[in-house]
Amino acid sequence: MRKYILIFAHILCFSVSSFAQKIRFAPQWIPQAQFAGYYVAKALGYYEDLGLDVEIIHHKATVSNLELLECGQFDIIGVNLSDAVMAYTQGLDIVNILQTSQRASLLIIANKPLVNGLKTLEGAKIARWKSGQYAVAGSILEIEGINATWIDFMAGTNLFLSGAVDATIAMSYNELISMRSTGRIIEDNQIFRFSDSKYNIVDDGVYVLRQFAQNNKDVVERFRKATIQGWLYARQNIDQTVEIVMNVLNENNLSSNKYHQKKMLIEILRMGIAPNDDKPTFELKVKDFEIINLLLSQKDKSKDSIKYEDFVF
Amino acid sequence: MLIKFRSFSTKLSISIIAVTGLLFLISFFIYFSFTKNTIETEVFEKSRNQLKNVTHSIDAILASVEHSIETSKFFVEQNIDNEALFKDVLSNILTTNPNVYGCTIAFEPGYYKGNNYYMLYALRNQEDPNQITINRLGGKSYDYPYMDWYLIPMLLDEGYWSEPYNDDGAADVLMSSYTQILRDENGEKIGVIVGDVWLDRFSKIVIANKPYENSYAFMLSRNGYYLVHRESDRILNETFFTATDDMTDPQVLKIGYDMINLKRGDYTFFNDDTLAYVFFEPIPRIGWSVATVSQESDVMASFNLMNSIIWFIVIGGLALIFVFVWFTIKRIAAPLKVFSRSASVIAKGDFNAPLPEIRSHDEMLELKNAFSGMQNSLKNYIEELRTTTSARERIESELAIANQIQMGMLPKVFPPFPNCSQIDLYALLKPAKEVGGDLYDFFVKGDKLFFTVGDASGKGVPASLLMAVTSSLFRSVTAHIEEPDKILQNLNDAIAESNDANMFITLFVAVLDLNSGILNYSNGGHNPPVIMTTKGETKFLSTKPNLALGVFSGFNFVAEQTKLNVGDSIFMYSDGLTEAENSDKELFSDSRLIDTLAQVQDISNPKEVIDTVENEVARFVDGNEQSDDLTMLIVNFKKIKQDE
């Protein structure tokens, strides 16, 4: 009897695998611990268990995955809220199906103490990513009435560390860790944390085209469920998760080190819980959405504000 | 506590080994410190020199690249409109400088002939270094104006060595680029000219720097990234600080900071519980730092081997010395055991105990001779002791007999005259030795009581003989003479006549008239008696001392007289009483005698008086040895004969 049950189970698995829904998921950046929850969900078979055949595609950093979503190259993407809202306002009809970040990881790191907060950056040369991600930082400084020269660059920390700029945009889970890993002393008073200001614009969320969401409600829900399971597992099993991340890096022939990825994972998990919560909710909070909405409407008063109900699926 | 027996040879051997071992330790410590310092100095010097050679080699390569680019920059600027010349310039750089792996001329977007991107890239073929390909690059997929090698020098407005990077859009190797800014005639920045060096070239130089078998070298970029390391997956992947995050030795962090701050240095640190030396030397031109790490066990291998050999020799040598010393001392000291046994046998009385045979002429032979001498001396001494003891026993026996004879000469029955109620009398003589020189005597003849107390000069047998002679003479003289002075005169003449030994005797002689209480007396140099009256008076009897008997023949002794009232007593004694000494050398003295006698309640009881004095003297001397004969005689005049 037991033998028959095993054979039946194998047939069932084969069937599920054969008819699993193919999903092309594109995080917004190259492989790293920032996307650990997705890697865990895939590696531990959470997607497969729910009938999804998820392919995690890391596209070139020089091209925005929002553009590739629009062209239909990806089904689901990961992107930060500000870039998603900007794209939305520019006509890309996307919806938020999951929110993994509950805090702003965006920083401005200066080469001297920010004794007067952001005002210290008046007239400074500030580096920012050419890809346009986190362009919202520029908007914030503009709103604050600070005149800075923006220097676009590709990636990394060399530009700032070389002394060619006075300050740089950075992420708390990546560049800050990298800079400190070089032996350079970056004091806390050199860092402006958006999460500690009124501009706490939360980061990563998962987005799909509205049409896709409407046509594949069940797929969206299964993807959402498996991804949450992946993130929750990562939170409980940090060392194992780091190993999974390192495997992904190796598969993609990318160089990094375990130290950096572990620190990144810990910071990403810290950002996954809202300041007043004790556990991750994986939902975009209305007040967090309103901050970015308000910010964009202040920048361009001609545009109508976006409705939360329209933006979140 | 049980004290463990340890043989003489073991103790001495241990002492010798301890001192020798201590001397070795001190010598070894001095040798160790000196040699280690010398070796370390040499190692440091060697490693530093090797490192300097490495950094000089790398610096020379970098300098040559800088030179090629700077020379070409001038040429390009001078011929900026001659596009065809650019390829020649790039080819020339690669042809003339084998250190340059690739080179670039790139312009600001829109500057050159309206092109958004204008970049010419010349690359040396990896397989065939003489083969050069030149390509046009630039575009959305290779957006060079935002790349470090372009952007940073443009912002810094100076020549710049980029952090090493993998340019997967161009050479696709790990390299570092030197950028110089191209300017137009107005000095405006119009683009860059760049020379690339392949890191592989430096890796070979750095890795080859291996002063010791297990040494390894590494090179850090200015941002602390590994550029060269024996673990290739660390290159541009780990910084010194991430790779050493789990290392506990705080020195490690200092090494990292010193290296990225382009300091020159040498440290020792613990790498996986192994002591290691690290030497590092900066290359300031590009901000890199090269280090070599050598295991202490490698560096000090020959020194440690030598130390091990020394320790082996020393420990083996000490063991040999111990065994040799132990056996030697044991052999030398072996007779001592025989001596010890012999001493035990001798102690039990056998003076013929065998002694060891000593062939050596040393202290042991002297000891044997001394031991043998001691055996003979002891034998003789014991023999003499036996003889002496036997003689002494005989003398003691004779003295005991003499004592009995001497005591037999003295009246010892008290009361002596039970039928004579006029007087009561008691006497005591305690010789200091077996026989003494004191005497007392008394007898009643008619109505008169004759009595005397004397003290012969010296002690022992001579004094006792003089006492015996005097005592006999006293009896014979008093048989026909009743005047005390005459008695003394006769006795004096008799003793002096045959006194070859120049001895003398003090003597107090008195004759008491029992009918009247008249006491006639004469004193031959003796202590004055004490008169004790019923009125409670206690005083010395006034006497003329005259001379002791036996000194001058024919001396006329003075006769004196006093009267005893009924109840009075006369107390006579020898100087053994008043000169009795206690342990503080104090004498009993005349005054204590008077005080003692004055305290006697009932002077009519002669025995009680003498017992009182005897007890008081005993209390005074408090066990101190009696040094002189002690004699006391008391006569109590109870009543006049006529009253009966």
Tab-separated table of all heavy atoms in Angstrom, chain B residues 372-402:
chain	number	residue	atom	x	y	z
B	372	SER	N	89.260	5.999	64.173
B	372	SER	CA	90.057	4.974	64.822
B	372	SER	C	90.647	5.496	66.121
B	372	SER	O	90.631	4.815	67.156
B	372	SER	CB	91.160	4.551	63.835
B	372	SER	OG	91.951	3.562	64.409
B	373	GLY	N	91.147	6.780	66.041
B	373	GLY	CA	91.688	7.434	67.236
B	373	GLY	C	90.622	7.546	68.305
B	373	GLY	O	90.867	7.310	69.496
B	374	MET	N	89.435	7.896	67.837
B	374	MET	CA	88.332	8.038	68.790
B	374	MET	C	88.010	6.705	69.456
B	374	MET	O	87.792	6.646	70.672
B	374	MET	CB	87.092	8.536	68.049
B	374	MET	CG	85.909	8.827	68.943
B	374	MET	SD	84.447	9.168	67.992
B	374	MET	CE	84.011	7.544	67.465
B	375	GLN	N	88.046	5.641	68.663
B	375	GLN	CA	87.798	4.299	69.229
B	375	GLN	C	88.809	3.991	70.333
B	375	GLN	O	88.434	3.573	71.426
B	375	GLN	CB	87.930	3.246	68.115
B	375	GLN	CG	86.627	2.918	67.436
B	375	GLN	CD	86.797	1.842	66.371
B	375	GLN	OE1	87.740	1.917	65.584
B	375	GLN	NE2	85.909	0.888	66.356
B	376	ASN	N	90.113	4.260	70.022
B	376	ASN	CA	91.170	3.973	71.010
B	376	ASN	C	91.005	4.843	72.241
B	376	ASN	O	91.128	4.370	73.371
B	376	ASN	CB	92.546	4.201	70.371
B	376	ASN	CG	92.832	3.140	69.320
B	376	ASN	OD1	92.316	2.012	69.411
B	376	ASN	ND2	93.594	3.485	68.300
B	377	SER	N	90.737	6.154	71.964
B	377	SER	CA	90.584	7.076	73.097
B	377	SER	C	89.442	6.633	73.983
B	377	SER	O	89.538	6.655	75.215
B	377	SER	CB	90.296	8.491	72.591
B	377	SER	OG	91.379	8.937	71.848
B	378	LEU	N	88.342	6.231	73.315
B	378	LEU	CA	87.170	5.807	74.088
B	378	LEU	C	87.495	4.559	74.921
B	378	LEU	O	87.112	4.458	76.094
B	378	LEU	CB	85.994	5.506	73.141
B	378	LEU	CG	85.172	6.726	72.719
B	378	LEU	CD1	84.161	6.334	71.661
B	378	LEU	CD2	84.442	7.316	73.927
B	379	LYS	N	88.227	3.649	74.251
B	379	LYS	CA	88.593	2.424	74.976
B	379	LYS	C	89.408	2.773	76.219
B	379	LYS	O	89.123	2.305	77.322
B	379	LYS	CB	89.423	1.513	74.041
B	379	LYS	CG	88.592	0.472	73.323
B	379	LYS	CD	89.456	-0.562	72.661
B	379	LYS	CE	89.796	-0.142	71.254
B	379	LYS	NZ	90.526	-1.113	70.481
B	380	ASN	N	90.429	3.645	76.010
B	380	ASN	CA	91.282	4.051	77.136
B	380	ASN	C	90.492	4.783	78.195
B	380	ASN	O	90.638	4.556	79.385
B	380	ASN	CB	92.431	4.943	76.637
B	380	ASN	CG	93.375	4.160	75.728
B	380	ASN	OD1	93.423	2.922	75.813
B	380	ASN	ND2	94.083	4.845	74.851
B	381	TYR	N	89.640	5.673	77.662
B	381	TYR	CA	88.874	6.483	78.605
B	381	TYR	C	87.972	5.612	79.466
B	381	TYR	O	87.900	5.771	80.679
B	381	TYR	CB	88.033	7.507	77.815
B	381	TYR	CG	87.100	8.300	78.674
B	381	TYR	CD1	87.588	9.316	79.506
B	381	TYR	CD2	85.723	8.028	78.702
B	381	TYR	CE1	86.739	10.029	80.320
B	381	TYR	CE2	84.870	8.743	79.503
B	381	TYR	CZ	85.385	9.749	80.318
B	381	TYR	OH	84.543	10.443	81.118
B	382	ILE	N	87.316	4.669	78.789
B	382	ILE	CA	86.403	3.792	79.535
B	382	ILE	C	87.184	2.953	80.553
B	382	ILE	O	86.748	2.745	81.687
B	382	ILE	CB	85.608	2.893	78.563
B	382	ILE	CG1	84.666	3.750	77.693
B	382	ILE	CG2	84.818	1.822	79.294
B	382	ILE	CD1	83.597	4.501	78.466
B	383	GLU	N	88.396	2.537	80.125
B	383	GLU	CA	89.242	1.756	81.041
B	383	GLU	C	89.606	2.587	82.269
B	383	GLU	O	89.483	2.147	83.400
B	383	GLU	CB	90.509	1.312	80.279
B	383	GLU	CG	91.277	0.185	80.932
B	383	GLU	CD	90.389	-1.031	81.181
B	383	GLU	OE1	89.600	-1.431	80.273
B	383	GLU	OE2	90.449	-1.555	82.313
B	384	GLU	N	90.011	3.858	81.937
B	384	GLU	CA	90.376	4.768	83.037
B	384	GLU	C	89.175	5.045	83.911
B	384	GLU	O	89.264	5.124	85.136
B	384	GLU	CB	90.904	6.089	82.458
B	384	GLU	CG	92.341	5.992	81.985
B	384	GLU	CD	92.767	7.253	81.224
B	384	GLU	OE1	92.052	8.271	81.341
B	384	GLU	OE2	93.789	7.185	80.519
B	385	LEU	N	88.047	5.182	83.217
B	385	LEU	CA	86.819	5.473	83.963
B	385	LEU	C	86.489	4.338	84.916
B	385	LEU	O	86.092	4.573	86.063
B	385	LEU	CB	85.668	5.690	82.967
B	385	LEU	CG	84.420	6.322	83.536
B	385	LEU	CD1	84.711	7.738	84.007
B	385	LEU	CD2	83.306	6.354	82.488
B	386	ARG	N	86.690	3.139	84.394
B	386	ARG	CA	86.426	1.982	85.254
B	386	ARG	C	87.308	2.046	86.498
B	386	ARG	O	86.839	1.881	87.619
B	386	ARG	CB	86.730	0.699	84.482
B	386	ARG	CG	85.570	0.200	83.666
B	386	ARG	CD	85.727	-1.268	83.325
B	386	ARG	NE	84.836	-1.576	82.207
B	386	ARG	CZ	85.248	-1.890	80.993
B	386	ARG	NH1	86.536	-1.997	80.725
B	386	ARG	NH2	84.370	-2.124	80.041
B	387	THR	N	88.628	2.311	86.257
B	387	THR	CA	89.597	2.375	87.361
B	387	THR	C	89.202	3.482	88.328
B	387	THR	O	89.156	3.286	89.552
B	387	THR	CB	91.015	2.639	86.798
B	387	THR	OG1	91.248	1.735	85.727
B	387	THR	CG2	92.074	2.476	87.859
B	388	THR	N	88.946	4.645	87.725
B	388	THR	CA	88.620	5.809	88.556
B	388	THR	C	87.354	5.551	89.351
B	388	THR	O	87.266	5.870	90.544
B	388	THR	CB	88.395	7.049	87.649
B	388	THR	OG1	89.471	7.125	86.739
B	388	THR	CG2	88.328	8.323	88.458
B	389	THR	N	86.380	4.974	88.667
B	389	THR	CA	85.106	4.710	89.347
B	389	THR	C	85.307	3.755	90.503
B	389	THR	O	84.781	3.955	91.604
B	389	THR	CB	84.088	4.132	88.350
B	389	THR	OG1	84.020	4.988	87.226
B	389	THR	CG2	82.719	3.989	88.949
B	390	SER	N	86.115	2.780	90.212
B	390	SER	CA	86.383	1.800	91.260
B	390	SER	C	87.072	2.461	92.459
B	390	SER	O	86.691	2.238	93.605
B	390	SER	CB	87.251	0.690	90.642
B	390	SER	OG	87.935	0.008	91.604
B	391	ALA	N	88.073	3.361	92.119
B	391	ALA	CA	88.781	4.072	93.192
B	391	ALA	C	87.830	4.972	93.952
B	391	ALA	O	87.849	5.053	95.184
B	391	ALA	CB	89.922	4.880	92.590
B	392	ARG	N	86.995	5.614	93.149
B	392	ARG	CA	86.072	6.552	93.769
B	392	ARG	C	85.096	5.828	94.696
B	392	ARG	O	84.783	6.294	95.798
B	392	ARG	CB	85.290	7.270	92.659
B	392	ARG	CG	84.513	8.444	93.169
B	392	ARG	CD	83.827	9.147	92.043
B	392	ARG	NE	82.789	9.984	92.558
B	392	ARG	CZ	81.918	10.635	91.814
B	392	ARG	NH1	81.993	10.505	90.517
B	392	ARG	NH2	81.001	11.383	92.368
B	393	GLU	N	84.649	4.699	94.173
B	393	GLU	CA	83.701	3.923	94.992
B	393	GLU	C	84.369	3.513	96.307
B	393	GLU	O	83.746	3.552	97.377
B	393	GLU	CB	83.246	2.685	94.219
B	393	GLU	CG	82.195	3.008	93.163
B	393	GLU	CD	81.920	1.829	92.248
B	393	GLU	OE1	82.645	0.809	92.338
B	393	GLU	OE2	80.994	1.962	91.405
B	394	ARG	N	85.654	3.156	96.143
B	394	ARG	CA	86.390	2.757	97.360
B	394	ARG	C	86.504	3.944	98.309
B	394	ARG	O	86.238	3.835	99.509
B	394	ARG	CB	87.772	2.247	96.954
B	394	ARG	CG	88.590	1.695	98.096
B	394	ARG	CD	89.825	0.970	97.587
B	394	ARG	NE	90.554	1.709	96.582
B	394	ARG	CZ	91.357	2.746	96.847
B	394	ARG	NH1	91.508	3.168	98.090
B	394	ARG	NH2	91.995	3.372	95.871
B	395	ILE	N	86.886	5.106	97.746
B	395	ILE	CA	87.044	6.314	98.582
B	395	ILE	C	85.724	6.670	99.229
B	395	ILE	O	85.654	6.995	100.417
B	395	ILE	CB	87.584	7.478	97.722
B	395	ILE	CG1	89.036	7.208	97.350
B	395	ILE	CG2	87.460	8.816	98.447
B	395	ILE	CD1	89.576	8.096	96.262
B	396	GLU	N	84.659	6.602	98.374
B	396	GLU	CA	83.337	6.952	98.917
B	396	GLU	C	82.974	6.028	100.067
B	396	GLU	O	82.418	6.460	101.087
B	396	GLU	CB	82.284	6.871	97.815
B	396	GLU	CG	82.288	8.102	96.932
B	396	GLU	CD	81.341	7.970	95.759
B	396	GLU	OE1	80.735	6.902	95.600
B	396	GLU	OE2	81.233	8.947	94.994
B	397	SER	N	83.328	4.776	99.879
B	397	SER	CA	83.049	3.803	100.942
B	397	SER	C	83.835	4.148	102.201
B	397	SER	O	83.301	4.141	103.306
B	397	SER	CB	83.420	2.413	100.416
B	397	SER	OG	83.446	1.510	101.464
B	398	GLU	N	85.101	4.522	101.952
B	398	GLU	CA	85.945	4.881	103.102
B	398	GLU	C	85.446	6.141	103.774
B	398	GLU	O	85.438	6.256	104.998
B	398	GLU	CB	87.391	5.066	102.624
B	398	GLU	CG	88.054	3.740	102.281
B	398	GLU	CD	89.409	3.906	101.610
B	398	GLU	OE1	89.836	5.059	101.403
B	398	GLU	OE2	90.014	2.894	101.273
B	399	LEU	N	85.016	7.087	102.886
B	399	LEU	CA	84.514	8.336	103.467
B	399	LEU	C	83.251	8.090	104.284
B	399	LEU	O	83.023	8.730	105.312
B	399	LEU	CB	84.216	9.339	102.348
B	399	LEU	CG	85.430	10.054	101.758
B	399	LEU	CD1	85.036	10.889	100.552
B	399	LEU	CD2	86.082	10.964	102.815
B	400	ALA	N	82.419	7.198	103.799
B	400	ALA	CA	81.197	6.883	104.541
B	400	ALA	C	81.548	6.335	105.927
B	400	ALA	O	80.924	6.697	106.947
B	400	ALA	CB	80.365	5.867	103.764
B	401	ILE	N	82.596	5.481	105.918
B	401	ILE	CA	83.037	4.930	107.212
B	401	ILE	C	83.589	6.059	108.095
B	401	ILE	O	83.276	6.164	109.284
B	401	ILE	CB	84.109	3.832	106.986
B	401	ILE	CG1	83.453	2.637	106.245
B	401	ILE	CG2	84.742	3.389	108.295
B	401	ILE	CD1	84.437	1.677	105.638
B	402	ALA	N	84.393	6.973	107.393
B	402	ALA	CA	84.969	8.100	108.138
B	402	ALA	C	83.859	8.953	108.723
B	402	ALA	O	83.949	9.423	109.850
B	402	ALA	CB	85.840	8.935	107.190
